[in-house]
Amino acid sequence: PFYLAQALPYPIRYITTFEMYRTAKIRWFFKALDCIPKKRYLHDVSTAREILRAIRKDAVIGIFPEGERVWTGAIKSLKPETINLFRKLSNIPILPVRLKGNFFAWPRWGKGMRRAHVKVEFLEPIEIDKAWDHKQIQDCIATAIDPGDLNHPDFYCRTKRPMEDISKVIYRCPLCLSFESIVLTPHRGECIKCSAT
């Protein structure tokens, strides 16, 4: 949301989870941003009604269709309720936004934000056909927002300790499959069993 707010000249009403409203300060922040809370993993009728009310008032709704930040940077499946929402609102065009480098700026396993180059790319609007099945909608949206090559030289973490906290994700060597064999340095990890980096 931070990157989109910088890139667009108008406000966006983001759909956020109820977990974002746990403390008074955070609750105040998301209410000030006019976010729409949604119950995670549940069919939430009140959220759907609020989205429709906002659209009738010409609001722009910001949806992160995966529903959460990913652990690896690779795109994952879209939430079924998001696909259903896109189908129900098929008369409203979807503006896909591709975020490149945001995984390096704030990996899910990291403690906080890091210095990284982030590129916000707006694509041509998509109009969902009501005749499309779940897979066709999934493929269309996922292809549009996929950040592409994570190894591209323009997109890397510029912080001094980019590997900090990666052990939350990589607790086993992906090559020799040894548990707890990875030793981390500030810029890389190395397996003490097979010497993979």
Side-chain angles (χ1 to χ4, degrees):
F2 316 112
Y3 307 118
L4 296 181
Q6 291 295 314
L8 290 172
Y10 44 80
I12 302 171
R13 292 197 66 189
Y14 293 103
I15 298 174
T16 58
T17 62
F18 268 105
E19 285 109 7
M20 298 295 190
Y21 294 77
R22 282 178 288 209
T23 67
K25 282 183 184 177
I26 296 174
R27 189 168 44 251
W28 175 87
F29 177 74
F30 282 103
K31 281 187 175 181
L33 290 176
D34 207 15
C35 291
I36 300 171
K38 183 197 178 307
K39 294 173 187 154
R40 196 189 288 254
Y41 311 118
L42 296 171
H43 184 68
D44 192 346
V45 177
S46 61
T47 299
R49 286 186 186 136
E50 183 59 30
I51 291 169
L52 290 173
R53 272 195 295 272
I55 287 171
R56 286 189 196 111
K57 294 178 182 176
D58 293 329
V60 176
I61 306 297
I63 300 173
F64 294 93
E66 295 168 282
E68 57 191 354
R69 291 184 297 149
V70 295
W71 288 99
T72 64
I75 195 163
K76 55 185 256 185
S77 296
L78 275 56
K79 294 287 182 192
E81 57 267 30
T82 304
I83 293 174
N84 287 335
L85 182 67
F86 289 155
R87 177 181 278 134
K88 284 178 187 170
L89 302 175
S90 60
N91 58 322
I92 298 170
I94 298 166
L95 179 66
V97 180
R98 186 177 290 159
L99 292 172
K100 295 185 174 185
N102 65 315
F103 172 72
F104 300 109
W106 196 353
R108 185 169 180 178
W109 41 265
K111 284 182 182 170
M113 294 193 79
R114 300 156 187 238
R115 290 187 62 204
H117 180 228
V118 177
K119 183 177 180 184
V120 180
E121 197 174 288
F122 296 94
L123 286 83
E124 289 296 316
I126 295 171
E127 292 193 17
I128 300 294
D129 188 330
K130 275 192 176 180
W132 288 357
D133 61 18
H134 270 63
K135 184 173 180 348
Q136 287 171 302
I137 297 171
Q138 156 82 29
D139 292 347
C140 179
I141 302 294
T143 302
I145 64 173
D146 189 348
D149 185 11
L150 290 174
N151 294 316
H152 194 281
D154 285 347
F155 306 107
Y156 62 90
C157 187
R158 289 173 166 79
T159 191
K160 291 180 180 176
R161 300 183 59 81
M163 298 296 288
E164 189 172 43
D165 295 324
I166 189 96
S167 56
K168 291 178 185 173
V169 181
I170 304 175
Y171 53 90
R172 186 176 188 185
C173 176
L175 294 180
C176 73
L177 305 180
S178 300
F179 283 99
E180 298 178 355
S181 63
I182 298 175
V183 176
L184 298 175
T185 65
H187 294 282
R188 67 181 193 167
E190 186 173 309
C191 176
I192 56 176
K193 301 275 177 140
C194 70
S195 300
T197 56

